[in-house]
Amino acid sequence: MTILLLLTSTLLSSYFHPWGVVNAQSFTIRNITLSIEPSTDVTRDTNVTLRCQALVSISGQAVLSREYTIYKDSNVVYTKTSSTPEDLLYLLPEARVFNTGKYKCTVKIESREMSSDVKKLTVTGLSKPVLHLNKGVVIEGEEVTARCTAPGETGSIFFYFFKDSKEFQDKHTSSNQAEIKLHFSSVGVHKIHCSYTVLVTPESFKSEDSNNVTVSVKELPITAVLEIGPQYKIYEGDQLDISCSISNLLHNSESFHLYLSQGDSLLSSGNKTTTLKHVMVAKAIDPGEFECKLEIGNIVKVATKILSVTELFSAPTITISPAEVFQREIMKITCRCERYASERLTKEDVTYTLDPPQSSLNPGGNGVFSGRALHFEFNYTCVAEAKGIKKHSEALTVRPKVYVSVPRISVDGRAVLGKPFKILCQSDIGSLPINYTLFKDYKPLSTTSIKLSSQQAIFTVTITKPEEINKFMCEAKNSHREGGLSKNLITAVIEPLSDPTVTVLPSLENLYEGGYLDLLCSIRGTPPVTFKWYREGREQPLSTTTSNQNYTKHNIPLLSKESSGRYYCEAFNHANNVRSDNVDIVVQLAQWKKGVIVGFCLLVVSVLVVLCVLCFRSKRGKREAAAELSV
């Protein structure tokens, strides 16, 4: 039991304590230091040493096994296991640019590991490249081997080759030299040099240029020969005999190819054929440059000729008269060639046709066609032909215009007497632009031109009498073509309201309680009219009525004293609104009430008289009695 407790205590102590245990001895890695000697910035060919120093504290005399790892740019470049406390030395003899990078040292003892800080080594300076060619004098097309060497350099290297100071090829390799094959297709002296770049991610280092090597290229005696007949002045329609051949072909020549072309068109080609022939008709519109091309391996020989072909006649022009034509109107199309070779043909030798041939126009002479214009758009092309040569004019698009129809005249909105209103004039069909003119009593008032289908011909006018509305008409014209006058304008004319008058029935002096009241509002103007009755002191109308008559009535069937007040009416139509003057309504007492009041008054007077008489008699009697007593 005691042994178990001691073992458990030891395990817990090794787990929680930061020190390791080796053969019952404890240790700790205190620090790892990486240094670069003689400096972190050196030139090429410097002997560089990377020193990794591990500071380890240990109890007792135990021997520790240390595993050293050197990293360059996060990649392992060197490992070593040592049981001594001596520093690890990683040597870079005669350092090169490729050795440039970020270095780190890691030391591992048992399960514990520690790394140093990162140190960057920079190596500058590249060796001058050396260029070597296996030949200095060659015949065009002959192969040359070029080798570019970067003495002493290592790593990932890109080599660049230059011909006459222009880069023409590159090659990537992991060695310090690259070899390529060159072919020279141009005769003369050429200068070749090379350079290289060492790639050290993420940077790159470029070398200086190598030595220049001169190559002399001699011409191969083989040539391409291009012949075109006839040699004299060539006209359209003449037959051309074209020959493409090889001159000074050597018997030991490797396979070759011949190509005969005109502009972008390949006329003929052949393998191991010494001569190509082609026959064609000369045309002025075709490209006049012919090429005979010979390919022997990497060698290309070219012969070119520019051929001038005289036109027999120019491309025809097509015109139409009149310039603006309407549907089903007689029109004439004329085809003409402005130029022709008088030494080869006359004007009468050129014939003209229309394309498409199913056009409805009839020929009326050489190059003249006439007929009626169609109802729809149509394209015409003129074809001129002489001595087997055909030429087409540009397409002429005929868009027949549409006669303008008799316009319709209407009012845009409402016509109100004495106020400006708008008149709309519009034709259902007709080619734009269309000129619209407004007339009154057959006298023109105004003209407007409509050029877009979204526009409208609108005229603003004012009338003072209703009968004036029927005197307006409008006219439409397009391209000096009349569409006729419209009908007279027929529409309702709204007369503004005026002279509102309120009539009281019965008369004002005959308004009694218990009676009735009719208020009559009459106006002048165009119905329908909306009438509203108001009593002063109230915002809401007493009644609202819309009538096709010029008057309305408001009735109070049973009058009372509360019916007294000031009344007025308002009237509205599509032109305006008006208000009448106020009418004072005073409701008198009923007749029977007046009789009761008079009778009551008479009764009161009678009672007062009786009382006075009685009072008088009473006083006289008292005086008489007193007199008698005194006697």
Side-chain angles (χ1 to χ4, degrees):
M1 186 66 179
T2 303
I3 295 173
L4 181 60
L5 290 173
L6 289 173
L7 180 60
T8 302
S9 175
T10 302
L11 291 174
L12 290 173
S13 175
S14 64
Y15 181 79
F16 290 105
H17 202 282
W19 295 35
V21 176
V22 180
N23 296 329
Q25 305 285 340
S26 298
F27 74 93
T28 180
I29 303 174
R30 295 170 57 190
N31 191 30
I32 304 296
T33 304
L34 176 66
S35 60
I36 299 177
E37 302 169 357
S39 173
T40 55
D41 294 296
V42 298
T43 59
R44 65 183 299 272
D45 291 330
T46 301
N47 293 322
V48 177
T49 300
L50 275 68
R51 182 183 296 275
C52 183
Q53 184 180 37
L55 184 60
V56 180
S57 296
I58 185 171
S59 64
Q61 301 296 322
V63 177
L64 300 177
S65 177
R66 311 178 185 201
E67 182 180 340
Y68 292 88
T69 303
I70 302 295
Y71 293 88
K72 178 194 174 188
D73 298 327
S74 302
N75 297 314
V76 177
V77 294
Y78 182 71
T79 58
K80 183 179 179 180
T81 302
S82 175
S83 57
T84 67
E86 296 178 357
D87 298 342
L88 173 71
L89 302 180
Y90 176 57
L91 304 179
L92 297 174
E94 297 182 348
R96 295 289 186 262
V97 168
F98 179 71
N99 298 126
T100 296
K102 296 179 180 179
Y103 290 87
K104 181 180 70 172
C105 175
T106 299
V107 177
K108 184 177 181 182
I109 303 175
E110 295 292 333
S111 60
R112 297 190 174 274
E113 183 177 300
M114 183 178 288
S115 297
S116 70
D117 293 335
V118 174
K119 290 291 184 71
K120 182 177 181 180
L121 171 64
T122 301
V123 182
T124 58
L126 292 173
S127 61
K128 183 176 180 177
V130 178
L131 177 66
H132 174 74
L133 302 182
N134 67 335
K135 296 177 184 179
V137 180
V138 295
I139 299 174
E140 60 176 333
E142 190 175 350
E143 185 177 83
V144 178
T145 301
R147 183 175 65 254
C148 186
T149 305
E153 301 299 336
T154 59
S156 178
I157 303 177
F158 284 89
F159 287 90
Y160 305 94
F161 294 86
F162 299 83
K163 182 193 297 182
D164 298 327
S165 300
K166 294 182 179 180
E167 182 185 336
F168 68 93
Q169 195 170 342
D170 62 71
K171 189 173 184 179
H172 179 223
T173 179
S174 57
S175 66
N176 69 339
Q177 67 177 16
E179 190 173 277
I180 63 169
K181 304 296 182 182
L182 303 178
H183 295 88
F184 296 90
S185 58
S186 58
V187 177
V189 177
H190 301 277
K191 291 183 178 181
I192 311 298
H193 75 271
C194 69
S195 66
Y196 67 91
T197 297
V198 178
L199 181 63
V200 183
T201 306
E203 300 177 88
S204 61
F205 301 88
K206 184 174 176 57
S207 74
E208 59 181 307
D209 291 341
S210 72
N211 55 304
N212 279 308
V213 179
T214 301
V215 179
S216 180
V217 181
K218 296 182 178 181
E219 184 177 9
L220 193 67
I222 300 175
T223 59
V225 179
L226 176 62
E227 295 177 340
I228 301 176
Q231 300 294 328
Y232 51 86
K233 189 174 183 179
I234 300 173
Y235 291 88
E236 285 183 309
D238 289 348
Q239 177 177 301
L240 297 180
D241 296 316
I242 307 170
S243 172
C244 176
S245 59
I246 305 173
S247 176
N248 299 323
L249 179 65
L250 302 177
H251 293 293
N252 60 348
S253 297
E254 56 184 296
S255 61
F256 57 88
H257 304 274
L258 265 181
Y259 302 94
L260 176 61
S261 59
Q262 179 189 14
D264 296 332
S265 300
L266 182 63
L267 303 179
S268 181
S269 64
N271 298 331
K272 295 185 178 181
T273 300
T274 58
T275 303
L276 297 176
K277 292 186 179 295
H278 184 75
V279 178
M280 62 184 295
V281 175
K283 295 181 180 179
I285 61 173
D286 292 336
E289 183 175 356
F290 292 84
E291 179 183 271
C292 176
K293 182 179 180 181
L294 169 64
E295 293 181 356
I296 304 177
N298 296 312
I299 303 173
V300 177
K301 299 288 185 176
V302 176
T304 59
K305 281 189 178 181
I306 297 178
L307 189 66
S308 178
V309 179
T310 303
E311 277 189 327
L312 275 177
F313 54 91
S314 61
T317 58
I318 184 170
T319 58
I320 183 174
S321 63
E324 290 185 342
V325 62
F326 283 78
Q327 293 175 346
R328 303 306 300 164
E329 185 181 44
I330 296 295
M331 68 175 188
K332 182 172 69 174
I333 288 181
T334 303
C335 297
R336 284 288 180 268
C337 290
E338 301 298 331
R339 302 179 306 277
Y340 65 96
S342 58
E343 63 271 23
R344 286 291 188 98
L345 76 166
T346 64
K347 287 184 178 181
E348 289 70 21
D349 293 330
V350 183
T351 59
Y352 301 94
T353 56
L354 284 182
D355 187 28
Q358 64 269 25
S359 99
S360 60
L361 302 183
N362 301 315
N366 194 17
V368 179
F369 305 87
S370 60
R372 292 190 178 275
L374 302 175
H375 284 278
F376 48 87
E377 180 180 302
F378 200 79
N379 291 329
Y380 297 91
T381 303
C382 182
V383 182
E385 181 176 2
K387 294 191 175 183
I389 301 296
K390 286 186 177 182
K391 294 186 179 182
H392 293 73
S393 70
E394 293 183 356
L396 172 67
T397 301
V398 178
R399 297 181 177 88
K401 289 185 173 292
V402 180
Y403 288 106
V404 65
S405 62
V406 174
R408 291 178 285 105
I409 188 170
S410 59
V411 171
D412 185 15
R414 294 185 175 90
V416 178
L417 203 65
K419 292 185 177 182
F421 62 92
K422 295 178 180 180
I423 293 179
L424 173 63
C425 190
Q426 188 173 26
S427 294
D428 292 329
I429 58 173
S431 297
L432 299 175
I434 300 176
N435 293 326
Y436 291 94
T437 302
L438 181 68
F439 290 84
K440 183 179 181 182
D441 278 340
Y442 295 95
K443 296 179 182 179
L445 296 180
S446 178
T447 299
T448 183
S449 181
I450 300 302
K451 299 178 180 179
L452 300 175
S453 58
S454 58
Q455 294 178 319
Q456 289 183 317
I458 296 178
F459 304 90
T460 302
V461 298
T462 303
I463 59 176
T464 57
K465 298 178 181 179
E467 57 269 19
E468 291 182 45
I469 196 70
N470 298 326
K471 297 180 180 180
F472 289 102
M473 295 182 294
C474 70
E475 180 187 58
K477 294 181 181 180
N478 62 348
S479 300
H480 308 291
R481 305 283 172 161
E482 296 186 5
L485 283 171
S486 70
K487 295 180 180 179
N488 293 82
L489 177 61
I490 299 176
T491 189
V493 177
I494 299 175
E495 182 181 354
L497 300 178
S498 63
D499 301 332
T501 303
V502 176
T503 304
V504 180
L505 295 176
S507 59
L508 291 174
E509 59 273 13
N510 294 321
L511 299 178
Y512 298 97
E513 287 182 315
Y516 71 94
L517 172 64
D518 285 331
L519 296 174
L520 182 66
C521 183
S522 59
I523 50 94
R524 290 183 59 187
T526 302
V529 181
T530 298
F531 294 92
K532 292 184 179 181
W533 285 98
Y534 290 90
R535 178 178 177 180
E536 281 195 349
R538 294 182 57 179
E539 293 184 0
Q540 298 299 321
L542 300 175
S543 65
T544 301
T545 305
T546 299
S547 174
N548 288 322
Q549 305 295 327
N550 288 59
Y551 60 88
T552 190
K553 182 175 67 172
H554 177 66
N555 175 257
I556 302 177
L558 185 62
L559 291 173
S560 64
K561 292 294 289 183
E562 288 75 18
S563 301
S564 298
R566 307 183 75 183
Y567 291 81
Y568 65 91
C569 73
E570 287 186 354
F572 304 82
N573 71 354
H574 294 299
N576 65 334
N577 62 295
V578 292
R579 171 180 166 168
S580 69
D581 294 332
N582 293 335
V583 176
D584 291 328
I585 300 298
V586 178
V587 179
Q588 303 179 50
L589 287 175
Q591 295 288 347
W592 65 270
K593 288 185 178 181
K594 289 182 178 181
V596 169
I597 292 173
V598 171
F600 179 76
C601 290
L602 292 176
L603 179 61
V604 171
V605 171
S606 300
V607 171
L608 290 175
V609 170
V610 170
L611 291 175
C612 289
V613 171
L614 292 175
C615 183
F616 176 74
R617 287 180 177 179
S618 174
K619 287 182 179 181
R620 192 176 65 176
K622 287 180 180 181
R623 286 194 304 266
E624 290 178 353
E628 288 178 0
L629 289 176
S630 64
V631 175

